[in-house]
Amino acid sequence: MVGIVYKSTGSWYTVKAEDGDFYECRIKGKFRIKGIKSTNPVAVGDSVRFEVETTGDDTFGIINEIEKRKNYIIRKSVNLSKQTHIIAANLDQVFLLVTLNNPPTYPVFIDRFLITAEAYKIPAVLLFNKIDTYTPEELDEIKFMAALYRKIGYTCIGISAATGKNVDKVKEMMVGKTSMFSGHSGVGKSTLVNTIEPNLDIKTKQISKQHLQGQHTTTFAEMFDLSFDARIIDTPGIKGFGIVDMEKEEIGNYFPEFFKLKQHCKFNNCIHIDEPKCAVKDALDAGDIAWSRYNSYLQMIKGEDEHYRVDLHDEKK
């Protein structure tokens, strides 16, 4: 039988077969996917082949093959630095929820997420959530950030999951597609999903006042069928986003505004740091490239994975 993985708990996988029935499945033996050292060889969104077995009163599936993925989104595992974790596979788009505070989403986290989406050819949309809670000054800051990313070419939408503002725009973009929602714990993913599809009733938790980072409400990624011809993958809140298996020379290619200028650099292998006649650095000096983006790039080039929740601007104060 062929089906799509809707939920993974690490050892069991909920698979929706082509006939619409769901099966609890396990993996047959150990999967080795070429080139990927992953803690989870089977991910939500994967198309798999499986056989159904019955033991006594129990009926379950055995996954014996993963079909070729259209794409996937991956990050370094939190506890196993050399291992990777595939968050989801076969996506049409990803939505990253961003909040200015409560909890803060720093530019370096946004940029790490975006370049990973670029690397795996997944369209990304930025949703600036909780706009009903901001002061006029904070709204100006959100508008500044949105303008920065729109200039690069990303779709940015200001929303309020709590009041429903612009949620209809998000729904329109989801029709006929499989979409993943991601972001830090506490940014409002579950609230947004419940606003989009109230019948799902995904659990939400209050922000931890002590940490302002929220609390994990989703333990594992899970896919849901929605009533308006759409599928959504809800993911656990992500604290950090370590980039995976990228050579220094290629990181700049996943910054669209860098990539456009690359051909004008004096050296074709320019990594935009110390080289003379670098078109990227010239654009930075001219104000055509944002310093926040360049700072993110430098951190990735230097492999400073442990600092991706640090606000560089605060450090300078």
Side-chain angles (χ1 to χ4, degrees):
M1 298 177 75
V2 177
I4 294 172
V5 177
Y6 269 60
K7 187 177 183 179
S8 160
T9 62
S11 55
W12 284 93
Y13 302 89
T14 303
V15 177
K16 184 181 182 182
E18 290 176 313
D19 61 6
D21 288 339
F22 285 89
Y23 294 85
E24 293 301 313
C25 298
R26 301 197 84 145
I27 297 175
K28 182 179 181 180
K30 284 191 175 180
F31 274 101
R32 294 253 178 241
I33 298 177
K34 192 176 178 184
I36 302 175
K37 293 178 183 175
S38 172
T39 56
N40 62 324
V42 178
V44 170
D46 269 331
S47 178
V48 297
R49 292 184 177 274
F50 67 101
E51 298 167 358
V52 176
E53 294 188 1
T54 301
T55 305
D57 295 333
D58 296 329
T59 299
F60 57 92
I62 302 291
I63 296 171
N64 50 39
E65 186 182 341
I66 304 171
E67 301 205 318
K68 188 176 179 183
R69 292 170 172 146
K70 175 175 72 174
N71 58 38
Y72 56 91
I73 194 155
I74 191 169
R75 70 185 184 108
K76 284 186 182 175
S77 292
V78 176
N79 299 322
L80 302 163
S81 60
K82 292 183 180 176
Q83 289 278 323
T84 59
H85 179 76
I86 300 167
I87 301 172
N90 299 319
L91 298 158
D92 293 311
Q93 60 192 351
V94 292
F95 291 94
L96 180 65
L97 272 75
V98 174
T99 45
L100 188 65
N101 46 43
N102 197 28
T105 308
Y106 297 127
V108 68
F109 176 84
I110 298 171
D111 295 336
R112 283 174 176 273
F113 189 93
L114 290 177
I115 75 149
T116 299
E118 291 282 346
Y120 293 96
K121 298 180 172 58
I122 306 168
V125 178
L126 297 181
L127 300 179
F128 292 88
N129 194 20
K130 304 187 183 180
I131 58 170
D132 56 309
T133 67
Y134 297 132
T135 65
E137 292 79 13
E138 288 170 337
L139 275 176
D140 285 344
E141 197 167 339
I142 287 288
K143 288 174 183 174
F144 176 82
M145 284 177 71
L148 186 160
Y149 287 103
R150 281 194 191 106
K151 182 181 176 184
I152 296 165
Y154 291 105
T155 299
C156 300
I157 306 173
I159 66 165
S160 169
T163 67
K165 183 176 176 63
N166 286 339
V167 171
D168 56 333
K169 290 184 180 178
V170 179
K171 285 180 75 169
E172 284 173 20
M173 297 181 72
M174 294 171 65
V175 174
K177 295 178 179 177
T178 298
S179 306
M180 185 181 95
F181 282 49
S182 196
H184 291 318
S185 295
V187 293
K189 292 187 304 298
S190 297
T191 303
L192 177 58
V193 175
N194 288 335
T195 304
I196 289 169
E197 190 79 294
N199 294 334
L200 283 181
D201 192 25
I202 290 176
K203 291 176 186 172
T204 62
K205 281 190 183 176
Q206 296 301 311
I207 294 287
S208 161
K209 290 273 196 322
Q210 186 179 358
H211 299 109
L212 282 180
Q213 288 181 13
Q215 299 170 354
H216 295 297
T217 49
T218 310
T219 311
F220 298 98
E222 185 169 2
M223 183 151 64
F224 301 92
D225 290 324
L226 305 182
S227 60
F228 55 96
D229 182 29
R231 287 193 294 215
I232 185 172
I233 298 177
D234 188 30
T235 61
I238 297 171
K239 285 187 177 179
F241 208 95
I243 57 175
V244 177
D245 294 336
M246 289 187 196
E247 301 295 330
K248 287 183 180 180
E249 293 75 21
E250 68 174 317
I251 291 174
N253 295 344
Y254 305 129
F255 284 75
E257 70 274 42
F258 291 20
F259 186 68
K260 283 179 187 172
L261 296 170
K262 185 179 179 181
Q263 61 184 337
H264 301 298
C265 292
K266 181 177 180 181
F267 301 106
N268 59 11
N269 61 346
C270 183
I271 59 168
H272 322 306
I273 297 179
D274 299 318
E275 298 89 345
K277 296 185 179 177
C278 167
V280 169
K281 286 195 298 179
D282 288 346
L284 184 68
D285 291 337
D288 294 328
I289 285 177
W291 273 99
S292 64
R293 292 278 286 173
Y294 189 69
N295 283 333
S296 296
Y297 172 73
L298 289 181
Q299 280 200 21
M300 294 178 213
I301 285 283
K302 293 172 183 174
E304 295 176 358
D305 279 352
E306 67 273 18
H307 299 307
Y308 40 67
R309 276 189 67 87
V310 175
D311 188 350
L312 292 166
H313 301 293
D314 281 352
E315 277 190 344
K316 291 174 184 174
K317 288 175 185 175

